[in-house]
Amino acid sequence: MKILVVGAGATGGYFGALLARAGQDVTFLVRPARAAVLRERGLRVVGRDEEWVLTPRLVTADELTGPYDLVLLSVKSTGLDRAVEDIAPAVGPDTAVVPLLNGLAHIDALNTRFGAAAVLGGVAKVVTALDDSGDIRRLAPLAHLAFGEQDGTVSPRVEKIRAVLEGAGIDAPVPERVLTAMWHKWVFITTFGAVTSLMRGTVGEVYDAPGGSGLGPAVLDEAAAVAAAAGHPVPEAERAATLAVVSASGSPMVPSLYRDLTAGRPTEVEHLFGDLTARARDFGVATPLLDLATLHLRIHQRRATATAAAGA
C-alpha cells in the first residue's frame, strides 16, 4: 500500500514511523524546515527505554505528484486549509483520506474538497511529543487509531487499511459509528483542555487546589451535553474514563493544547472550542465554562498572532 503521511510531528510522525518500520511504502509530506531536521537527524522515536531511527522518504508540497492509496492527514487545524490544497495531487479516485485531527470541522472541509466518498473518519490516541531536537518522544505505549467509513460500512478498503495498521503494531479498531467515536474524543479533549488551560495548571494542581475537584466533572457535563444534543451521547464508561484523567490527585498530565498555551504558541481554539460552543448554541445547550475557556484561549490567540506578526 502506497501511504502518504501529511505531517511528521508527534502523532503523524509516530504512526508513519511504525508503518515504515514494518516495511510499508511510506512517504512524509513535510514543510521545508521539518524536512531539513529529518534529513539531518533522521526520524527518531525515543523514550520508554528505547530509541530507533529511520531514514524517511520525504516530499514537500511542490514535489508531490500522483495519487496514493492512503493519506494519513496529521496537521494542526490551523494548517488544515493549506494542507487540503497541498494534498490535492495525492488524492485520486481510489484514495482513502484518514484525518487524525480532533473535533469535526475538518470532515466538512475535506468532504467539500474531495467528496465524502474519499474521506474516512479517524480517532488517534497516542501519548507522544516533539522534543527540542525534533525527535518524537514516546511517553506511553499507546498507539491507537480507530477509523472507518462515515456511513459505518465496513468496506473492503477499511479491512485492507486495518490489516496494514495492525501489521505495524497499531491498534486499529473499526467502530460501528466512527463519527460518534470522534464526538467522544472531542468531549474528552475539550474537557481536558478546558480544565488545564483555564486554571493554568496540571490536572493534579487543579484537582488538589481547594475547590478544584469539581471543575473536571462540571466541564465534562457541559461537553457531554453538547454531544448528546448532536445525537452522540457519551456512555458512562467513557465518562468515567475521562473523569479518571481530569480528576486525579497529583497528576502531572497536561494536553498539547496546554503546552502550546504556556509556550506562547497559537492553539487550536476555534477548531476545538469555538466550533463546539457554536454547536452548543445551535442546540440550545448552556456551556458557561466552555464559553469561558473559549474566550480565554481567544485572547491568547490574538496575542500569539500579534507576537508572530511582529517578529515576521
Side-chain angles (χ1 to χ4, degrees), residues 23-36:
Q24 292 297 327
D25 180 0
V26 179
T27 301
F28 294 87
L29 174 61
V30 292
R31 303 290 179 221
R34 181 65 172 149

Side-chain angles (χ1 to χ4, degrees), residues 6-312:
V6 186
T11 299
Y14 183 55
F15 283 126
L18 289 173
L19 288 163
R21 188 171 68 162
Q24 292 297 327
D25 180 0
V26 179
T27 301
F28 294 87
L29 174 61
V30 292
R31 303 290 179 221
R34 181 65 172 149
V37 172
L38 294 173
R39 288 186 176 115
E40 178 182 348
R41 293 183 56 79
L43 180 58
R44 294 174 179 265
V45 177
V46 301
R48 299 191 61 82
D49 299 322
E50 67 173 324
E51 176 175 348
W52 39 282
V53 185
L54 300 173
T55 302
R57 182 184 298 117
L58 307 174
V59 294
T60 53
D62 59 313
E63 300 169 331
L64 192 60
T65 59
Y68 286 74
D69 300 311
L70 172 64
V71 174
L72 291 181
L73 180 62
S74 180
V75 297
K76 294 280 190 182
S77 63
T78 49
L80 176 63
D81 290 345
R82 182 175 175 182
V84 167
E85 294 308 314
D86 286 347
I87 67 173
V91 180
D94 298 317
T95 301
V97 180
V98 179
L100 305 183
L101 292 78
N102 293 314
L104 278 160
H106 59 281
I107 293 292
D108 294 336
L110 290 165
N111 286 349
T112 298
R113 183 64 177 82
F114 302 115
V119 182
L120 282 66
V123 178
K125 296 181 182 179
V126 293
V127 188
T128 52
L130 279 187
D131 64 21
D132 292 341
S133 299
D135 298 342
I136 297 169
R137 187 158 294 277
R138 184 168 171 252
L139 305 174
L142 186 65
H144 176 102
L145 201 171
F147 73 103
E149 303 283 359
Q150 293 183 54
D151 64 3
T153 303
V154 182
S155 62
R157 69 174 178 177
V158 163
E159 294 285 16
K160 185 175 181 180
I161 293 168
R162 175 164 54 182
V164 168
L165 294 173
E166 290 180 344
I170 299 168
D171 181 25
V174 177
E176 184 176 345
R177 299 175 66 196
V178 72
L179 295 181
T180 294
M182 292 173 68
W183 263 100
H184 294 170
K185 173 72 181 298
W186 198 6
V187 167
F188 168 77
I189 204 68
T190 49
T191 299
F192 192 14
V195 167
T196 53
S197 298
L198 270 177
M199 298 298 106
R200 292 293 185 111
T202 65
V203 164
E205 287 173 332
V206 176
Y207 184 83
D208 293 332
S213 62
L215 182 60
V219 176
L220 175 58
D221 284 346
E222 291 185 7
V226 183
H232 305 278
V234 182
E236 284 303 316
E238 291 205 31
R239 288 177 62 95
T242 296
L243 282 177
V245 172
V246 301
S247 302
S249 178
S251 171
M253 288 189 66
V254 294
S256 60
L257 178 98
Y258 175 87
R259 291 193 289 269
D260 288 337
L261 176 68
T262 55
R265 295 188 292 263
T267 70
E268 296 183 287
V269 54
E270 295 304 333
H271 195 81
L272 295 179
F273 288 86
D275 188 28
L276 186 66
T277 54
R279 293 178 194 236
R281 288 191 293 274
D282 290 341
F283 296 136
V285 176
T287 55
L289 291 170
L290 287 168
D291 290 344
L292 185 61
T294 304
L295 177 60
H296 177 64
L297 289 165
R298 280 173 171 162
I299 292 170
H300 164 80
Q301 193 81 351
R302 289 192 174 192
R303 290 175 177 169
T305 302
T307 298

